[in-house]
Amino acid sequence: MKLLATYGTLRKGNYNNYLLRNSELLGKNIIPNFTMFRLSGNYPAIVPSINQLITVEVYRITEKVYKKIEQLELPYNYHAETITTEFGVATIYVYNTIESGDWNKQSKRRL
C-alpha cells in the first residue's frame, strides 16, 4: 500500500475522485513549499515554492490504483515526488517546469 496526497480533481467531491472510491481517506493535511495555480481547462497544478501552503487529502491506495493515477497524471506534464505528511511519506504529482528558464534548451520542437 502507498500513500497519495491529492490537491485537485482527485479530492473528494471532484470529478476524478471516482478513481479513489475504494481507497481509504486518511485525512487532510497542509503542505508547505508549493504554489497552486489553474491550468487552462480548469485543471490544478502545483510547483515548488517558498513560504506557500497547499491543502491536500491523503489516501492509502493499492498498487493497482497507483498505476491508474499515473496514467491520469503523467501524460499531462506532471511527475511524481514524495512529501512528508502527518500520515507518512506520500506521493504527490507536481507540474513539470523548465528549470533552465530557456525554452530552446528544453524544447526539441521549435515553431
Side-chain angles (χ1 to χ4, degrees), residues 74-93:
L74 296 180
Y76 294 98
N77 211 24
Y78 294 85
H79 67 276
E81 290 188 10
T82 56
I83 58 168
T84 301
T85 73
E86 66 182 73
F87 307 102
V89 175
T91 298
I92 193 165
Y93 286 88

Side-chain angles (χ1 to χ4, degrees), residues 15-111:
Y15 55 89
N16 281 323
N17 184 257
Y18 75 93
L19 294 167
L20 301 171
R21 67 180 165 262
N22 295 319
S23 300
E24 179 186 4
L25 173 59
L26 300 177
K28 287 185 182 178
N29 207 183
I30 304 296
I31 304 297
N33 301 325
F34 287 101
T35 296
M36 185 181 307
F37 58 96
R38 180 188 313 261
L39 300 175
S40 63
N42 206 27
Y43 297 101
I46 60 171
V47 295
S49 68
I50 299 172
N51 299 325
Q52 296 283 321
L53 302 172
I54 63 167
T55 301
V56 298
E57 290 175 350
V58 180
Y59 288 84
R60 186 180 325 261
I61 62 172
T62 64
E63 188 66 33
K64 183 177 178 180
V65 170
Y66 182 76
K67 297 282 186 204
K68 288 181 182 179
I69 301 302
E70 280 190 327
Q71 291 172 352
L72 173 71
E73 301 287 7
L74 296 180
Y76 294 98
N77 211 24
Y78 294 85
H79 67 276
E81 290 188 10
T82 56
I83 58 168
T84 301
T85 73
E86 66 182 73
F87 307 102
V89 175
T91 298
I92 193 165
Y93 286 88
V94 177
Y95 200 66
N96 293 326
T97 60
I98 302 169
E99 301 218 359
S100 71
D102 185 338
W103 178 261
N104 286 346
K105 286 184 179 179
Q106 68 81 42
S107 179
K108 292 183 178 19
R109 179 179 166 220
R110 295 187 187 158
L111 300 177

